[in-house]
Amino acid sequence: MRGRLLLAALAASLVAAGGVLAAPPEDRLVSPDQHSSEKARSLAAKYLNALRELNAGIYHCVPWVEIGRESIGFFRPKHLPGDDRYLSLRIFVEQDPSPQFAALRFEERAASMFSRYVGGMLRRMAAHAAMLTDPAVDGFTVIVGWLKPTAQAGAQPVHETIAVFLPRPVAADYVAGRAKIHDVAARGQVFGYDGATPLGQLRLQAWEDSFLSTYRMANYQPDPGVTCR
Amino acid sequence: MLSFPRRLLLAGAALVLTAGCATSEEWAIWRQNSAHFASLDHFKFSNRNREGQSAQVSRADVQKAREQNWWGRAITVAQEEILER
């Protein structure tokens, strides 16, 4: 009897340890109290579980995408006046070097990455439907970075980045199927960066790309108990 | 002038001293590729997955690879340039 109890306790502790190991790093989120305005703190507290689910979903199901520290939160886009608060997500995409990708101009690489990641990430961000009707949520920001393919071998790596700002009605239209991704690119604001150098606002021609919903990383096994859709 | 047996002994000693050791050129190449087995975890991962076998990649493997920062710090735009808390 005592042996069985001991075994049960050991099994329970292993399950608990497994649960802890499977959790994504919490520091990817900006904690509610670290936001600079009451509006932002209130939003971050209200949607804390939704942000955790967003973090966990990307962590387990899109493992080639990295979320850095404090990359998810209700940030204020710096180019907008007032205290507009956008649910913001910054990701870095790790991908194999590709001569075809490297041969594109920056705007074309930016359009490719927009087409591949912005729609899919937006759907994940808006999975908690209440955000799409909450007037306190002014919009959504998706920042996508990738390794600049034309950098010299052996030199310090350089990231290229696009920052995409979408007012809430644009995001709501896209998630509801009333707008296509090329409409999103046209109605939103996109800014480009080469390393730390701003390249200004971009006009991107985006297209539907099913990569995120169809690609499976070779031999990758999600942690036990994780289901990816 | 060294006798033939002495020369043979010296050559043998030199052979023993250099056998199994990398030359300075080899070490230079290895140093340039310090990403190889940057840590014990990476070694375990590489050792577990051998050519000809189906590799098993867990989420923990992906995370460890990133934390070891194999490719160095990149030049990128600071988040504070785009967003404010």
Side-chain angles (χ1 to χ4, degrees):
Chain A
M1 183 66 185
R2 199 173 166 186
R4 273 188 206 166
L5 277 174
L6 208 65
L7 266 178
L10 180 64
S13 67
L14 284 175
V15 169
V20 169
L21 283 175
E26 181 82 3
D27 66 358
R28 274 44 184 167
L29 276 59
V30 178
S31 62
D33 63 325
Q34 291 299 306
H35 290 76
S36 65
S37 74
E38 186 48 46
K39 178 182 176 181
R41 284 191 288 273
S42 170
L43 283 169
K46 183 178 179 182
Y47 294 113
L48 186 57
N49 283 340
L51 302 194
R52 283 182 175 144
E53 284 167 19
L54 170 66
N55 185 29
I58 296 170
Y59 178 84
H60 288 295
C61 300
V62 200
W64 64 95
V65 162
E66 184 183 5
I67 302 175
R69 284 184 69 248
E70 302 190 324
S71 292
I72 300 175
F74 283 93
F75 291 89
R76 185 183 83 79
K78 286 193 82 168
H79 68 288
L80 296 178
D83 191 29
D84 278 8
R85 290 291 166 170
Y86 281 40
L87 171 57
S88 303
L89 165 70
R90 181 174 188 170
I91 61 171
F92 176 75
V93 178
E94 291 178 358
Q95 53 186 9
D96 287 335
S98 153
Q100 292 81 11
F101 188 71
L104 300 175
R105 291 182 299 113
F106 172 79
E107 286 78 5
E108 293 168 327
R109 288 197 292 273
S112 302
M113 297 306 267
F114 184 108
S115 303
R116 182 153 289 186
Y117 288 100
V118 171
M121 290 297 150
L122 191 56
R123 286 188 196 285
R124 285 180 176 275
M125 294 165 81
H128 197 79
M131 274 190 224
L132 291 170
T133 53
D134 187 337
V137 179
D138 295 296
F140 295 79
T141 305
V142 186
I143 302 175
V144 184
W146 62 93
L147 189 66
K148 184 177 181 177
T150 52
Q152 294 290 315
Q156 188 176 7
V158 176
H159 290 181
E160 292 177 328
T161 306
I162 52 171
V164 180
F165 300 93
L166 305 169
R168 184 166 46 83
V170 178
D173 284 351
Y174 177 72
V175 172
R178 293 188 296 269
K180 299 287 185 191
I181 196 68
H182 60 84
D183 300 321
V184 173
R187 291 167 65 188
Q189 285 181 296
V190 185
F191 295 89
Y193 300 86
D194 179 359
T197 308
L199 300 175
Q201 192 166 352
L202 308 173
R203 282 277 153 228
L204 300 180
Q205 301 294 320
W207 59 89
E208 300 295 334
D209 184 327
S210 61
F211 179 84
L212 265 186
S213 57
T214 56
Y215 177 73
R216 295 289 171 269
M217 202 167 96
N219 305 312
Y220 173 68
Q221 295 193 326
D223 289 345
V226 172
T227 307
C228 297
R229 282 164 290 158
Chain B
M1 185 73 177
L2 292 172
S3 64
F4 179 73
R6 276 196 164 187
R7 271 189 277 172
L8 199 64
L9 197 66
L10 272 176
L15 197 67
V16 168
L17 284 172
T18 54
C21 299
T23 63
S24 59
E25 190 182 351
E26 284 167 338
W27 275 114
I29 291 168
W30 187 86
R31 280 199 198 97
Q32 282 167 12
N33 294 283
S34 57
H36 291 306
F37 305 136
S39 75
L40 187 62
D41 289 326
H42 184 197
F43 173 74
K44 283 177 187 164
F45 171 80
S46 304
N47 212 26
R48 191 174 73 227
N49 294 292
R50 293 182 177 281
E51 200 174 339
Q53 293 178 342
S54 175
Q56 299 292 304
V57 183
S58 73
R59 191 60 183 79
D61 290 327
V62 177
Q63 193 63 25
K64 279 174 186 158
R66 286 187 182 134
E67 284 165 5
Q68 286 155 17
N69 203 13
W70 290 352
W71 296 281
R73 268 189 99 76
I75 301 168
T76 190
V77 61
Q79 190 152 296
E80 297 73 35
E81 298 294 318
I82 307 171
L83 302 169
E84 185 182 295
R85 284 191 190 184

